Amino acid sequence: YQPGTDYAKRVTARGYLPTLMFASLTLLFSWSCPALGKKKLYIGALFPMSGGWPGGQACLPSAQMALDLVNKRTDILPEYELELIHYDSMCDPGEATKLLYDLLYTEPIKMVLMPGCSSVSTLVAEAARMWNLIVLSYGSSSPALSNRQRFPTFFRTHPSATLHNPTRVQLFQKWKWTKIATIQQTTEVFTSTLDDLEARTKEAGIEISVRQSFLTDPAPAVKNLKRQDARIIVGLFYETEARKVFCEVYKEKLYGKKYVWFLIGWYADNWFKIKDPSINCTVEQMTEAVEGHVTTEIVMLNPETVRGASNLTSQEFLNQLMSKLGGKNPEETGGFQEAPLAYDAVWALALALNKTVGPLKAKGRRLEDFNYNNRDITAEIYRALNTSSFEGVSGHVVFDAQGSRMAWTLIEQLQGGSYKKIGYFDSTKGNLSWYGNDRWIGPGPPADQTVVIEEFRFLSQKLFVSVSVFAGLGILLGIVCLTFNIYNSNVRYIQNSQPYLNNMTAVGCMMALAAVFPLGLDGHHVHRKQFPVVCQFRLWLLGLGFSLAYGSMFTKIWWVHTVFTKKDDKKEKRKHLEPWKLYATVGVLLVIDVLSLMIWQIVDPLHITVEKFVREAPKGDLDVLIQPLLEHCSSDKMNTWLGVVYGYKGLLLLLGIFLAYETKSISTEKINDHRAVGMAIYNVSVLCMITAPVTMILSSQQDASFAFASLAIVFSVYITLVVLFVPKMRRLITRGEWQSDTQETVKTQGSSTNNNDEEKSRQLERENKELQKIIQEVQDQLCYTVAIGSVMLYSRYRISYVLHRYRISYVYSRYRISYGIQ
Ligand SMILES: *[C@@H]1O[C@H](CO)[C@@H](O)[C@H](O)[C@H]1NC(C)=O
Ligand SMILES: *[C@@H]1O[C@H](CO)[C@@H](O)[C@H](O)[C@H]1NC(C)=O
Ligand SMILES: *[C@@H]1O[C@H](CO)[C@@H](O)[C@H](O)[C@H]1NC(C)=O
């Protein structure tokens, strides 16, 4: 073979040329008709064109658009062509059973099934595993389908209805609600959605406090919501029922600034304005009732302008779909909203199949080898679909562990009769994009329940101050009396009154008065931590003050009684009373008190308890209740201790009255003031016996109980001091015995023994008159005290005030009679 020779020219023309021509023809042909030489893969699909959800009307064209694009692409399944074999399931499981049979038992073999409509998908997905078929649904929202045990090969590009729930929980948390109510139409979808919501809220620490459901008539359920003080209400029902519910809501006034409703977002925009003969509310009423409610809606069309896997933005996709639908009204085309999901379903499938080619080749398998007994290829497709992640026209496409689509949710609010977007929630990332244009009828999101404000009740400060002034003056008086007694302790008359006992009385009185101050201190003045100290001060000052003051008086009267009333006693013994016995008696009384208080405080110390009262509604229509609280000093077995202490003191008081009565006519020089002491004991006993039980009854009313207790203390002390010391002062002043008694008495004794008797009787007479005056004064004062106390009692508890007065005046009349006083 020599180039350039004839032979060579001939060979080229005969051999190479036809070969070249054939090759170029083949190329040309395959370019103009790419399907040639591609292996077909079949998809069996069911599109409901009628029935409950005629979604196929828009979803089928949309799926075909996707299929055309995929088949044209050279980077997706270049060796294969996808073909859709579809039937009309009419959204009817019975019809679908028959069609499924046709799909499976007629050639060719389908690689994947694509049903729509939840009831049909349930049937197909449950059966498919027997044929090792993957099921990819574009239009079923039933939460029941999220179940890998029942539906092991199921995927869906339509999110589950439970996808609303993470958004709802997010909003509850955003608006700080922890108590939610729900109302649902009794339907499987809504029930399982609410079950899911309940689980999620529980996880988030939110409580579903009321769960109501209804079949057709929502009136009782709405009434129950009202009765149970529901504020944040999630309502799941179809549009017709929604109108019924909101008509009831209007009637029950379960709307307005205190309430927030959460509804599903797929109702028509003007659903509440549509005339419905089954409801009895006007459009205005409905508009009023629905204002401000929040809806959640699954985003089915990507809100952002991005070019995804199909190189189309969502708007371009819509335009193409519209032209494909050929001028049909999208509102009346079933499944128009879900069309992007069908489109993305085909894309998800194509991309997944494209992904399986490599791994299958490695195993020596091909996609076209698929048959219904082949698990390897199914497993490979499953894996590919499960890891799907691409930008579709419906947003980012990913599936959760149950094969359900994860998507964004749109949050809208009805503001002034039209829906406004207020945010998006991406539950895969937990990212809430908030526009901040949510509007509320009140000042902000309402509370999820009536707010209870705790408010401590404090003592009236005016009362506290005025009683404190009295107590302060009383302490001054006590100091004056004490000084007087000590200064004049050399005067015979004072000496004969056992001045040390009187000093103790004065000191005790001042301590009791000092107890008024801690008695009036409460949370208004001191911190909660210091309060127990205040309690201790109250207890000890009052306890010791009483023991000292009353104990010393009691001692006096006791010894007057034991020593001077025994008629058969010998004369020399009569006059004999050693001072140490008096001190010992006071000492014993004090020790008993100190010991009992110590035991009480060691065994069962005082602490703060808080009393709760019935909640009150404040004026105005504020959504709050006030919970009044009151702090008390108490110990665990308060009543037992009080019983013991009051019992013992009560006995002492009674005994004191008795002894005072018994010794009224005795006259002795050693204790010359026992009548005045008897008088004081009467006063103190009566006041204490009225006050102690009354303050226990009134303990819940801080002002009344303080007034009672402190005024009783103040008056007892005043009376005691006045009765004990004022006559002495008068006598010393009027007689000029002031501090120079010893000389004077010597003088009188020396100069005039004859006049002694006469003077003595005159002196006694004067003394008697003085005493009468004092007694009159004291009676006036006492009556005043008793009257105040009784009026308080009467006004509060209607305890017979007359009875008290009667009793007291009885005691006094007896007393007066026995003294021979008018
Ligand atoms: C399809 O698969 C091939 C290889 O298996 C890969 O190179 C190509 O990028 C895939 N196409 C797409 C759109 O991912
Ligand atoms: C509708 O309202 C009217 C008056 O407001 C009342 O008389 C009537 O019974 C109501 N009908 C229904 C079905 O509730
Ligand atoms: C959340 O979403 C917004 C709006 O889409 C975006 O700007 C932001 O980066 C997102 N944040 C996170 C953490 O993903």
Side-chain angles (χ1 to χ4, degrees), residues 397-466:
V397 179
V398 272
F399 301 103
D400 67 8
Q402 272 74 43
S404 295
R405 170 75 186 280
M406 306 283 278
W408 286 35
T409 41
L410 165 66
I411 305 150
E412 290 186 313
Q413 191 181 32
L414 193 75
Q415 299 177 353
S418 63
Y419 284 103
K420 295 266 155 50
K421 288 190 175 91
I422 57 172
Y424 282 99
F425 182 62
D426 179 4
S427 58
T428 48
K429 292 188 197 134
N431 184 7
L432 184 70
S433 330
W434 198 248
Y435 295 166
N437 58 346
D438 41 327
R439 273 215 322 236
W440 305 96
I441 303 170
D448 57 358
Q449 53 192 321
T450 310
V451 177
V452 175
I453 298 174
E454 296 199 328
E455 210 176 79
F456 279 98
R457 284 185 177 170
F458 293 126
L459 184 63
S460 148
Q461 291 308 297
K462 282 180 193 158
L463 180 67
F464 180 44
V465 169
S466 38

Side-chain angles (χ1 to χ4, degrees), residues 29-50:
F29 193 72
S30 65
W31 175 75
S32 61
C33 180
L36 195 84
K38 280 189 170 183
K39 284 155 231 129
K40 285 200 171 182
L41 298 175
Y42 295 94
I43 302 166
L46 298 173
F47 285 97
M49 295 298 175
S50 54

Side-chain angles (χ1 to χ4, degrees), residues 508-509 511-512 540-553 590 593 645 648-650 652-653 684-685 688 716:
C509 283
M511 280 172 78
W540 286 90
L541 279 177
L542 204 54
L544 292 185
F546 181 86
S547 302
L548 216 53
Y550 186 78
S552 49
M553 296 199 294
L590 260 180
D593 264 333
V645 171
Y648 163 68
K649 302 249 154 133
L652 272 190
L653 290 173
V684 173
S685 304
C688 286
S716 304

Side-chain angles (χ1 to χ4, degrees), residues 536 595-607 635-637 641:
Q536 294 291 340
L595 275 184
S596 60
L597 284 182
M598 267 168 65
I599 293 171
W600 177 1
Q601 289 318 300
I602 288 167
V603 173
D604 187 11
L606 283 181
H607 52 80
S635 45
D636 297 335
K637 295 201 175 63
W641 294 109

Side-chain angles (χ1 to χ4, degrees), residues 160-281:
S160 161
T162 55
L163 192 73
H164 294 268
N165 292 340
T167 313
R168 289 179 184 133
V169 171
Q170 184 75 23
L171 291 178
F172 298 157
Q173 287 174 332
K174 179 179 173 60
W175 289 319
K176 300 190 175 58
W177 292 323
T178 55
K179 197 166 156 272
I180 309 296
T182 63
I183 176 170
Q184 65 158 121
Q185 189 180 355
T186 317
T187 303
E188 201 264 326
V189 180
F190 297 142
T191 306
S192 47
T193 306
L194 281 188
D195 287 342
D196 178 76
L197 181 66
E198 193 153 8
R200 283 175 197 272
T201 50
K202 205 171 181 182
E203 217 169 81
I206 296 165
E207 179 204 6
I208 293 192
S209 59
V210 194
R211 216 177 139 159
Q212 293 291 326
S213 55
F214 64 92
L215 209 56
T216 49
D217 178 20
V222 173
K223 280 198 180 75
N224 280 342
L225 287 180
K226 177 82 184 182
R227 201 155 42 81
Q228 305 206 27
D229 193 31
R231 300 298 175 87
I232 312 304
I233 308 161
V234 178
L236 298 186
F237 23 70
Y238 291 109
E239 197 178 310
T240 327
E241 282 71 23
R243 279 190 284 272
K244 286 190 199 167
V245 168
F246 275 88
C247 186
E248 288 305 318
V249 164
Y250 179 81
K251 288 177 193 164
E252 294 292 331
K253 296 269 167 291
L254 203 64
Y255 65 92
K257 64 179 175 190
K258 283 196 213 169
Y259 304 93
V260 181
W261 280 84
F262 277 77
L263 302 183
I264 309 170
W266 37 251
Y267 303 157
D269 274 353
N270 60 345
W271 63 273
F272 49 91
K273 289 181 186 156
I274 294 169
K275 273 275 161 209
D276 189 339
S278 64
I279 61 165
N280 205 1
C281 297

Side-chain angles (χ1 to χ4, degrees), residues 108-162:
I109 286 176
K110 323 297 185 291
M111 297 213 65
V112 172
L113 296 180
M114 284 182 62
C117 214
S118 291
S119 53
V120 172
S121 297
T122 308
L123 172 104
V124 173
E126 203 162 20
R129 60 172 167 170
M130 306 312 292
W131 284 269
N132 295 310
L133 275 169
I134 296 285
V135 179
L136 177 57
S137 169
Y138 52 86
S140 19
S141 63
S142 168
L145 283 163
S146 291
N147 183 345
R148 267 282 169 257
Q149 268 77 48
R150 245 181 103 188
F151 314 108
T153 58
F154 179 72
F155 290 92
R156 52 176 159 180
T157 49
H158 192 300
S160 161
T162 55

